[in-house]
Amino acid sequence: MSVVDNCLFCESNKIVVTRQLPIHFNTKIFTWNKCENCGLLFLLPHLSNSDKEIMYRYNYHETYYFKYTEDYRKQLQIIESFKKRTFLDFGCGDAGLISFLQKNNYTVTGVEYDEKLVEILKSKFEGINFIQESDFWNTTTTFDIIHLGDVLEHVGNPKELMNQLKKKLNTDGVFFIEGPLECNPCLGYYFRKGTYFIRNILNRESLRVKYPYHITYSNARNQQLFFNQLQLEKINFKVGEEGWPYIDRLAEIKSPWLLLQYLVSRCSAFISSFIPRWGNRFIYIAKQK
Ligand SMILES: [Zn+2]
């Protein structure tokens, strides 16, 4: 196995291919690999530009982001404590967060991969600087705060991405990173494992993931280990919980199965609030050393 196939978090070469059904996408087969050193589950091979273009066309954001309205008061509360003004959202999606921050007097910039999405965002939001990712790396602007919300799990080179972004952060700047912990203990995780086991017996094919959207599936331990290698000064690493992949809003209950999901996600969040490091999401805050 070549160096490029080492663990995406700890670079160990002790990698085993798991029995999870591979993903067939864009005439390729993506396998599920587990690092025996840090426990990270990740997909191989790395995504090509063609894979990314197909997956992250404008429809992706239409399906997953534009149709949903999120509440960003929690993020505002976190960044207010930094007393900074310029904010980069790398992977800004529907620009929900930065348009909210703009209304709260932040100078905001959004970066996205897809050219069409960037054009749409530019026409939709006035006064926000949107840049396509390929152009962004040629700019010299640096920022007070760099935010990545649910981005790292989509990239095949998370360490390289963070090292590049460090060059875009002011010397007294702050990284604010949020994302899922899809393999971290919590009731919801164990419930999913149980349903996975049953589906594996009844209809194994139903378990096959269709698109390689998420490349890394982390837990609190290896996610922290990943951040510890970046030569940043940690301010906070916090584990929290949200409903996803299950529903967590009453309005979404439309069947007995969704009712069960709702109950599991609510109970899971309640239990996790008492157990340190249980949960399905993290927030990481750090500054330059
Ligand atoms: Zn590893």
Side-chain angles (χ1 to χ4, degrees):
M1 191 175 276
S2 67
V3 173
V4 291
D5 291 340
N6 287 5
C7 173
L8 303 183
F9 273 12
C10 76
E11 293 176 2
S12 163
N13 60 4
K14 290 182 190 156
I15 307 298
V16 289
V17 182
T18 75
R19 295 183 60 225
Q20 208 163 324
L21 288 176
I23 300 172
H24 294 271
F25 174 74
N26 199 18
T27 69
K28 274 182 262 183
I29 295 174
F30 293 86
T31 58
W32 299 82
N33 303 270
K34 190 162 188 178
C35 170
E36 288 188 320
N37 181 46
C38 76
L40 181 74
L41 184 65
F42 63 101
L43 296 179
L44 285 175
H46 295 289
L47 294 182
S48 66
N49 285 340
S50 149
D51 299 331
K52 285 190 254 181
E53 272 157 30
I54 294 170
M55 271 198 300
Y56 296 118
R57 277 176 193 153
Y58 174 69
N59 319 6
Y60 170 83
H61 298 277
E62 179 70 18
T63 310
Y64 293 101
Y65 293 100
F66 279 112
K67 287 182 182 163
Y68 296 90
T69 322
E70 291 235 8
D71 182 352
Y72 295 106
R73 281 174 296 183
K74 188 179 81 183
Q75 282 85 352
L76 176 65
Q77 202 183 10
I78 290 170
I79 66 166
E80 271 177 339
S81 63
F82 308 148
K83 311 226 179 309
K84 307 276 184 194
R85 281 294 136 202
T86 60
F87 184 96
L88 167 70
D89 198 10
F90 187 88
C92 64
D94 64 0
L97 173 61
I98 46 177
S99 71
F100 177 73
L101 294 180
Q102 186 198 30
K103 291 180 191 113
N104 286 276
N105 303 317
Y106 283 86
T107 304
V108 293
T109 299
V111 170
E112 260 302 333
Y113 180 80
D114 183 71
E115 190 181 349
K116 190 182 165 200
L117 175 63
V118 172
E119 288 310 313
I120 289 165
L121 291 170
K122 279 180 182 171
S123 63
K124 217 171 156 187
F125 299 97
E126 273 183 30
I128 298 183
N129 184 29
F130 290 104
I131 314 173
Q132 198 187 346
E133 193 203 347
S134 51
D135 297 331
F136 170 72
W137 299 115
N138 298 322
T139 62
T140 51
T141 319
T142 55
F143 301 88
D144 291 333
I145 304 168
I146 296 181
H147 174 259
L148 287 93
D150 295 75
V151 169
L152 283 180
E153 72 277 13
H154 291 273
V155 298
N157 51 356
K159 201 170 171 185
E160 190 189 317
L161 173 66
M162 287 303 299
N163 284 329
Q164 290 300 108
L165 285 172
K166 272 167 79 174
K167 296 175 193 162
K168 302 284 187 186
L169 187 69
N170 289 339
T171 44
D172 59 348
V174 178
F175 274 115
F176 171 19
I177 304 177
E178 306 175 77
L181 296 171
E182 287 169 88
C183 293
N184 201 50
C186 66
L187 176 69
Y189 172 66
Y190 294 120
F191 181 79
R192 267 192 291 137
K193 282 194 111 161
T195 54
Y196 191 98
F197 177 77
I198 297 165
R199 283 166 67 194
N200 194 26
I201 296 166
L202 298 178
N203 182 4
R204 185 161 160 75
E205 196 54 38
S206 74
L207 296 171
R208 195 187 298 276
V209 176
K210 288 194 174 63
Y211 300 97
Y213 283 131
H214 288 192
I215 306 297
T216 50
Y217 292 74
S218 66
N219 58 37
R221 196 181 72 83
N222 53 35
Q223 192 67 61
Q224 281 188 95
L225 189 125
F226 169 76
F227 288 127
N228 290 347
Q229 308 167 83
L230 299 176
Q231 304 296 319
L232 292 166
E233 190 180 327
K234 182 178 89 172
I235 298 171
N236 197 5
F237 180 88
K238 207 173 144 207
V239 178
E241 182 146 345
E242 284 177 14
W244 193 90
Y246 293 140
I247 60 165
D248 58 359
R249 294 178 202 182
L250 273 171
E252 292 172 283
I253 301 172
K254 292 184 174 79
S255 68
W257 168 236
L258 290 174
L259 172 64
L260 182 61
Q261 283 192 17
Y262 174 79
L263 294 173
V264 169
S265 72
R266 293 289 81 202
C267 289
S268 185
F270 179 72
I271 294 167
S272 293
S273 67
F274 294 102
I275 306 178
R277 297 288 178 234
W278 271 38
N280 61 9
R281 290 190 65 77
F282 72 87
I283 288 175
Y284 172 73
I285 297 165
K287 58 183 182 183
Q288 302 266 32
K289 259 189 182 164

